Amino acid sequence: MSKGSINVSVENIFPLIKKFLYSDHEIFLRELVSNATDATVKLRHLTSIGEAKVDYGNPIIEVKIDKENKKLHIIDQGIGMTKDEVENYINQIAFSGAEEFIEKYKDKEGEDAGIIGHFGLGFYSAFMVADKVEIITKSFKDEPAVQWECDGSPEYTISDNDRTERGTEIILHIAEDSLEFLEDGRITELLSKYNKFMPIPIKFGMRTETLPKPEDAKEEDPAPTQEVDNFINNPSPAWTKQPSDLNEDEYKSFYRELYPAQFEEPLFNIHLNVDYPFNLTGILYFPKMTNDMNMQKDKIQLYQNQVFVTDNVEGIVPEFLTMLRGVIDSPDIPLNVSRSYLQADGAVKKISSYITRKVADKLKSLFNSNRADFEQKWSDIKIVIEYGMLSEDKFFEKAQDFALYPTVDGTHYTLGELKEKIKDLHTDKDDKLVVLYASNKDEQHSYIEAAKEKGYEVLFLDSPIVSHLIQKLESENENTMFVRVDGDHIENLIKKDEEQVSKLNDDEKESLTTLLTEIIPQEKFSVQLEAMDSQANPFIITQPEFMRRMKEMQQSGGSGGMFGMGNMPDMYNLIVNTNHELVGEILNTKTQKKKERLINQALDLARLSQNLLKGEELTTFIKRSYEMIK
């Protein structure tokens, strides 16, 4: 046996490691199993090129708990280490990394504290949970096995060992404050979280397997069982295979493996596979979407060489795609750095652009190959596509080929198709193309019907970001404007040259205006007299497009607030149809009381059509209505 002292400038580095890495103390198992995997993969490579003259066989990694002696074992059958390699790797390289870590992070707190990977600290993360660590290792080279021990001080011992099997065993003597890591459930949880898709089989304990009953067994006889090795990982997950080797059922099966609690099938998937100018593999799934964008984020899992890292992929995946699900695996993403660094990193920007392009290409391919199916899925995927059109200019350009605009009747158009279809009827007297839309079929039903009677197409756009989207579409399409169907009365939505003549003369209009302003609350409604078709409603409530849109944009997190409109009370226009017979009756009614009743009734009916009548006002309206039909 020989003893040595690790040459570090810090008297005792391990309490510092423990302090700085404490928030991530569970990561030790990920790091040690990852090291075991690396050792096994290296052996596979050396045997494949003939440098290691050994039988590779079918190596596994085993994790064992010895609860009685408070030990945790991680055992591999990989490349192993010689005494010189232990001296070099464990005592020098890793510790220089540890020193670099301490130097960099001794004064830091917060986001950048708690980092392991790039500092060679993988092995030494063991001291976050262990008072003492042993390594027993035998190299694939013909050299004796070695045992290394360290109790967390700079002192260590190294000696020969009688181990005969190739590989390495790490033994952690678990500290009193970390006894949770001697519980089967906790270790299963961590292996499933971090190592579920490692490329080498990982065994943890045994499990009971039910066997088929013998043919001559009675019905009441229990099925025979046997104890088998419990392997917790899938060494060959779908994303490591070529797309040509997978069918649709296998993609769906892998989705269920990723999200066992998710019962709905994904709509479709996108297989990522690139090796230049960076390495990236993965599978992204489009799940069924709701209109709540925040509820759906942080579902994509980020891996590095099949080791789970995080499910916060912000800065790596474009913002609008964080609502998808799936896996991204890349050794080229600098994982252990701050988010602000990630967003400025050139390689990460290229990865983000690549993912955006792949998603756009896949959507276009789906649209072209089966448009009917794409239209059927539109309402489930539109929120991602619309968000992408708003946030990524390149995606906006590509989306012109597949972004759909459904009508209230269920017909789907691309914007190009829609403009061609409506150009004759929807072009106003100023040569502007007016696109009509509704956001709620029930609340805006009367307005939709009025537009359809004119032969107009009405789009159905109901996503929470629709105000932002149409603002973007208007800026990108000259002489095109979007107007919600309740933004004005139908004659004014698409103004033509022809004008209606009012049945009222100027004196009658003045008398009517005076009467209306005395009865109708001015703080809520701006009264306008309009000569319209006599069959149109007598009172129509509209909300100016610009004001309403700015408020909606501000409420959904946009630029409406710059106009100071986010918190303004709702203002409505009350359009009075001077050609309707009820308006003439109001003017000709003798008593003031009856005039007031007719005006209030007509106003409340208009409010009712906009869902604006509630509480006490609704009760008053119902009571008045019954009195009028007695």
Side-chain angles (χ1 to χ4, degrees), residues 520-577:
I520 292 168
Q522 299 300 295
E523 71 277 8
K524 292 183 180 177
F525 298 99
S526 172
V527 178
Q528 297 171 212
L529 303 186
E530 294 274 358
M532 296 161 59
D533 190 308
S534 61
Q535 297 304 307
N537 289 343
F539 282 26
I540 299 170
I541 291 174
T542 64
Q543 194 172 16
E545 176 75 16
F546 177 77
M547 296 279 286
R548 179 191 50 73
R549 196 189 295 183
M550 289 301 119
K551 275 183 71 73
E552 287 175 353
M553 287 172 68
Q554 205 269 342
Q555 286 162 2
S556 61
S559 60
M562 67 188 280
F563 298 99
M565 294 175 183
N567 300 313
M568 281 182 66
D570 287 322
M571 274 294 293
Y572 296 92
N573 293 332
L574 175 63
I575 298 168
V576 179
N577 180 5

Side-chain angles (χ1 to χ4, degrees), residues 144-177:
V146 178
Q147 181 164 349
W148 178 95
E149 292 182 24
C150 181
D151 62 3
S153 71
E155 307 299 322
Y156 67 86
T157 62
I158 190 164
S159 58
D160 290 340
N161 185 275
D162 57 6
R163 176 186 172 108
T164 56
E165 299 89 11
R166 178 193 70 232
T168 299
E169 178 174 5
I170 310 273
I171 305 167
L172 277 60
H173 297 253
I174 299 296
E176 286 298 320
D177 62 358

Side-chain angles (χ1 to χ4, degrees), residues 127-155:
F127 285 96
M128 291 191 292
V129 299
D131 291 329
K132 176 182 173 184
V133 177
E134 298 178 58
I135 302 173
I136 301 170
T137 182
K138 178 167 172 54
S139 172
F140 74 97
K141 301 168 185 171
D142 189 19
E143 294 194 30
V146 178
Q147 181 164 349
W148 178 95
E149 292 182 24
C150 181
D151 62 3
S153 71
E155 307 299 322

